[in-house]
Amino acid sequence: MAAESDILEELRRLRARVPQLTGALAAGADGLVLAQDTPGIDPENLAALTTTACGLAAQLADTTGQGDFRELLVRGVHGCAATYAAGPAAVVTLLAQDPVNVGRLHLEGRRAAARIAELVDAATALPAKPSDKSPTESPTKSPAKSPAKTAAKTPAPRARTPRTSRSKPPETRTPAPAPAPAPLPTTEAPTAPTVARTITES
Protein backbone atom coordinates (compact mmCIF):
# COMPACT_ATOMS: atom_id res chain seq x y z
CA MET A 1 0.00 0.00 0.00
CA ALA A 2 1.20 3.50 -0.81
CA ALA A 3 0.52 4.72 2.79
CA GLU A 4 2.59 1.99 4.45
CA SER A 5 5.44 4.34 5.37
CA ASP A 6 3.00 6.91 6.81
CA ILE A 7 1.21 4.25 8.88
CA LEU A 8 4.52 2.93 10.20
CA GLU A 9 5.58 6.44 11.17
CA GLU A 10 2.30 6.89 13.07
CA LEU A 11 2.89 3.64 14.97
CA ARG A 12 6.39 4.73 15.95
CA ARG A 13 5.15 8.11 17.20
CA LEU A 14 2.52 6.26 19.23
CA ARG A 15 5.17 4.10 20.88
CA ALA A 16 7.15 7.23 21.71
CA ARG A 17 4.12 8.78 23.45
CA VAL A 18 3.36 5.63 25.45
CA PRO A 19 6.65 4.22 26.77
CA GLN A 20 5.02 1.01 28.09
CA LEU A 21 4.16 -0.14 24.55
CA THR A 22 6.19 -3.14 23.39
CA GLY A 23 4.66 -3.46 19.93
CA ALA A 24 2.20 -1.90 17.51
CA LEU A 25 0.63 -3.30 14.37
CA ALA A 26 -1.87 -2.17 11.72
CA ALA A 27 -3.67 -4.82 9.71
CA GLY A 28 -6.37 -4.87 7.10
CA ALA A 29 -9.78 -6.39 7.60
CA ASP A 30 -8.58 -9.34 5.52
CA GLY A 31 -5.77 -10.11 8.00
CA LEU A 32 -2.89 -8.75 5.91
CA VAL A 33 -0.23 -6.66 7.62
CA LEU A 34 -0.26 -2.98 6.61
CA ALA A 35 2.59 -1.86 8.89
CA GLN A 36 4.19 -3.24 12.01
CA ASP A 37 6.63 -2.43 14.77
CA THR A 38 6.54 -5.62 16.84
CA PRO A 39 10.06 -6.76 17.76
CA GLY A 40 10.20 -10.41 18.82
CA ILE A 41 6.67 -11.25 17.62
CA ASP A 42 5.62 -12.66 14.25
CA PRO A 43 3.54 -9.83 12.68
CA GLU A 44 1.65 -12.10 10.28
CA ASN A 45 0.57 -14.41 13.08
CA LEU A 46 -0.45 -11.45 15.22
CA ALA A 47 -2.45 -9.94 12.33
CA ALA A 48 -4.30 -13.22 11.77
CA LEU A 49 -5.14 -13.56 15.48
CA THR A 50 -6.26 -9.93 15.63
CA THR A 51 -8.62 -10.40 12.69
CA THR A 52 -10.13 -13.50 14.27
CA ALA A 53 -10.55 -11.82 17.66
CA CYS A 54 -12.12 -8.73 16.11
CA GLY A 55 -14.54 -10.90 14.15
CA LEU A 56 -15.69 -12.63 17.33
CA ALA A 57 -15.88 -9.32 19.20
CA ALA A 58 -17.95 -7.75 16.41
CA GLN A 59 -20.29 -10.75 16.46
CA LEU A 60 -20.62 -10.46 20.24
CA ALA A 61 -21.36 -6.73 20.03
CA ASP A 62 -23.96 -7.27 17.34
CA THR A 63 -25.63 -10.15 19.17
CA THR A 64 -25.90 -8.19 22.40
CA GLY A 65 -27.13 -5.08 20.62
CA GLN A 66 -24.05 -2.98 21.36
CA GLY A 67 -23.66 -1.74 17.78
CA ASP A 68 -20.56 -1.74 15.62
CA PHE A 69 -17.20 -2.95 16.91
CA ARG A 70 -14.97 -0.20 18.28
CA GLU A 71 -12.24 -1.74 20.44
CA LEU A 72 -11.15 -4.88 22.24
CA LEU A 73 -8.99 -5.19 25.38
CA VAL A 74 -7.41 -8.45 26.52
CA ARG A 75 -5.57 -8.25 29.86
CA GLY A 76 -3.07 -10.79 31.06
CA VAL A 77 -0.74 -11.19 34.02
CA HIS A 78 2.13 -9.29 32.44
CA GLY A 79 0.29 -6.72 30.35
CA CYS A 80 -2.48 -6.26 27.87
CA ALA A 81 -3.29 -6.29 24.17
CA ALA A 82 -5.71 -3.68 22.87
CA THR A 83 -7.24 -3.58 19.39
CA TYR A 84 -8.98 -0.54 17.91
CA ALA A 85 -11.06 -0.23 14.76
CA ALA A 86 -9.34 2.04 12.22
CA GLY A 87 -12.32 2.61 9.98
CA PRO A 88 -14.12 -0.24 8.23
CA ALA A 89 -11.00 -1.53 6.45
CA ALA A 90 -8.28 -1.75 9.13
CA VAL A 91 -7.53 -2.35 12.81
CA VAL A 92 -4.70 -1.30 15.12
CA THR A 93 -3.33 -3.64 17.78
CA LEU A 94 -1.15 -2.37 20.64
CA LEU A 95 0.86 -4.50 23.06
CA ALA A 96 1.66 -2.97 26.46
CA GLN A 97 3.36 -4.21 29.58
CA ASP A 98 2.49 -3.46 33.16
CA PRO A 99 2.37 -1.01 34.71
CA VAL A 100 0.52 0.78 31.89
CA ASN A 101 -2.11 3.44 32.30
CA VAL A 102 -5.08 1.90 30.51
CA GLY A 103 -6.82 5.27 30.21
CA ARG A 104 -3.77 6.78 28.52
CA LEU A 105 -3.49 3.69 26.34
CA HIS A 106 -7.07 4.06 25.15
CA LEU A 107 -6.67 7.79 24.53
CA GLU A 108 -3.56 7.45 22.39
CA GLY A 109 -4.76 4.24 20.74
CA ARG A 110 -8.03 5.81 19.57
CA ARG A 111 -6.24 8.86 18.19
CA ALA A 112 -3.75 6.73 16.30
CA ALA A 113 -6.53 4.51 14.94
CA ALA A 114 -8.43 7.54 13.63
CA ARG A 115 -5.31 8.86 11.94
CA ILE A 116 -4.51 5.48 10.38
CA ALA A 117 -8.11 5.19 9.17
CA GLU A 118 -7.64 8.46 7.26
CA LEU A 119 -4.41 7.20 5.70
CA VAL A 120 -6.00 3.91 4.65
CA ASP A 121 -9.04 5.66 3.17
CA ALA A 122 -6.82 8.07 1.22
CA ALA A 123 -4.67 5.22 -0.11
CA THR A 124 -7.64 3.11 -1.21
CA ALA A 125 -9.44 6.08 -2.76
CA LEU A 126 -6.63 6.92 -5.22
CA PRO A 127 -7.19 4.01 -7.66
CA ALA A 128 -10.97 4.35 -7.33
CA LYS A 129 -11.12 7.82 -8.85
CA PRO A 130 -13.20 7.72 -12.02
CA SER A 131 -11.23 8.40 -15.13
CA ASP A 132 -12.21 11.09 -17.59
CA LYS A 133 -13.45 8.46 -19.99
CA SER A 134 -15.86 5.83 -18.81
CA PRO A 135 -14.70 2.29 -19.71
CA THR A 136 -18.17 1.48 -21.05
CA GLU A 137 -18.10 4.32 -23.47
CA SER A 138 -17.00 3.34 -26.90
CA PRO A 139 -14.22 5.48 -28.30
CA THR A 140 -15.55 8.29 -30.45
CA LYS A 141 -14.34 8.01 -33.96
CA SER A 142 -13.55 11.19 -35.78
CA PRO A 143 -15.84 11.78 -38.75
CA ALA A 144 -14.44 10.74 -42.05
CA LYS A 145 -13.13 13.61 -44.07
CA SER A 146 -15.22 14.49 -47.06
CA PRO A 147 -13.63 13.69 -50.41
CA ALA A 148 -13.94 17.35 -51.38
CA LYS A 149 -11.71 18.42 -48.46
CA THR A 150 -9.31 15.60 -49.16
CA ALA A 151 -9.10 16.57 -52.77
CA ALA A 152 -8.56 20.18 -51.83
CA LYS A 153 -5.63 19.26 -49.60
CA THR A 154 -4.06 17.01 -52.25
CA PRO A 155 -1.40 19.08 -54.01
CA ALA A 156 -1.79 19.33 -57.76
CA PRO A 157 0.93 17.54 -59.71
CA ARG A 158 3.62 19.84 -60.99
CA ALA A 159 3.78 20.32 -64.71
CA ARG A 160 7.08 19.15 -66.08
CA THR A 161 8.84 21.51 -68.43
CA PRO A 162 10.02 19.60 -71.51
CA ARG A 163 13.73 19.60 -71.79
CA THR A 164 15.21 21.59 -74.64
CA SER A 165 16.92 19.33 -77.10
CA ARG A 166 20.56 20.11 -77.48
CA SER A 167 20.63 18.85 -81.09
CA LYS A 168 21.31 21.37 -83.83
CA PRO A 169 18.28 23.02 -85.26
CA PRO A 170 17.28 21.66 -88.66
CA GLU A 171 18.73 23.55 -91.63
CA THR A 172 16.29 25.73 -93.45
CA ARG A 173 16.55 25.37 -97.17
CA THR A 174 15.56 28.24 -99.40
CA PRO A 175 13.09 26.91 -101.96
CA ALA A 176 14.27 27.18 -105.55
CA PRO A 177 12.51 29.83 -107.59
CA ALA A 178 9.67 28.48 -109.59
CA PRO A 179 10.42 28.36 -113.34
CA ALA A 180 9.04 31.25 -115.28
CA PRO A 181 6.02 30.35 -117.28
CA ALA A 182 6.66 29.65 -120.92
CA PRO A 183 5.71 32.52 -123.21
CA LEU A 184 2.46 32.04 -124.92
CA PRO A 185 2.82 31.51 -128.73
CA THR A 186 2.26 34.72 -130.65
CA THR A 187 -0.62 34.49 -133.03
CA GLU A 188 0.31 36.19 -136.25
CA ALA A 189 -2.30 37.75 -138.38
CA PRO A 190 -3.02 35.66 -141.40
CA THR A 191 -1.04 36.90 -144.35
CA ALA A 192 -3.10 37.80 -147.34
CA PRO A 193 -2.44 35.42 -150.15
CA THR A 194 0.06 36.81 -152.54
CA VAL A 195 -1.29 37.06 -155.93
CA ALA A 196 1.25 35.80 -158.14
CA ARG A 197 1.80 38.09 -160.78
CA THR A 198 2.21 36.39 -163.97
CA ILE A 199 4.48 38.29 -166.00
CA THR A 200 3.77 37.61 -169.39
CA GLU A 201 6.38 38.29 -171.57
CA SER A 202 5.36 40.08 -174.37
Side-chain angles (χ1 to χ4, degrees):
M1 181 179 292
E4 180 180 353
S5 58
D6 295 333
I7 296 175
L8 180 59
E9 185 63 25
E10 183 65 29
L11 294 179
R12 287 175 177 173
R13 287 197 296 265
L14 176 60
R15 289 195 63 184
R17 292 194 299 268
V18 183
Q20 289 79 19
L21 287 181
T22 59
L25 175 140
D30 53 0
L32 297 178
V33 178
L34 300 180
Q36 58 86 21
D37 184 12
T38 56
I41 298 177
D42 183 7
E44 295 182 357
N45 188 27
L46 178 60
L49 290 175
T50 297
T51 303
T52 303
C54 288
L56 294 175
Q59 185 176 357
L60 176 62
D62 182 66
T63 303
T64 57
Q66 305 304 321
D68 295 335
F69 169 77
R70 287 290 179 265
E71 58 194 44
L72 172 67
L73 178 65
V74 178
R75 189 151 195 172
V77 177
H78 302 293
C80 62
T83 299
Y84 305 91
V91 292
V92 175
T93 296
L94 305 179
L95 306 178
Q97 63 183 1
D98 282 337
V100 59
N101 188 327
V102 177
R104 177 68 183 275
L105 177 66
H106 285 327
L107 176 65
E108 296 295 345
R110 292 164 187 167
R111 288 179 179 176
R115 173 59 180 161
I116 291 174
E118 294 177 358
L119 295 175
V120 172
D121 291 342
T124 55
L126 286 177
K129 288 184 179 180
S131 58
D132 295 338
K133 295 182 180 180
S134 175
T136 57
E137 294 179 358
S138 58
T140 305
K141 295 183 179 179
S142 58
K145 296 182 180 179
S146 60
K149 291 184 179 180
T150 306
K153 291 185 179 181
T154 305
R158 296 181 179 177
R160 296 185 179 180
T161 305
R163 296 182 179 178
T164 305
S165 176
R166 295 183 180 179
S167 60
K168 295 181 180 180
E171 298 179 0
T172 56
R173 296 181 180 180
T174 305
L184 296 174
T186 306
T187 307
E188 296 181 358
T191 305
T194 303
V195 177
R197 294 181 180 177
T198 305
I199 303 173
T200 60
E201 293 180 1
S202 56

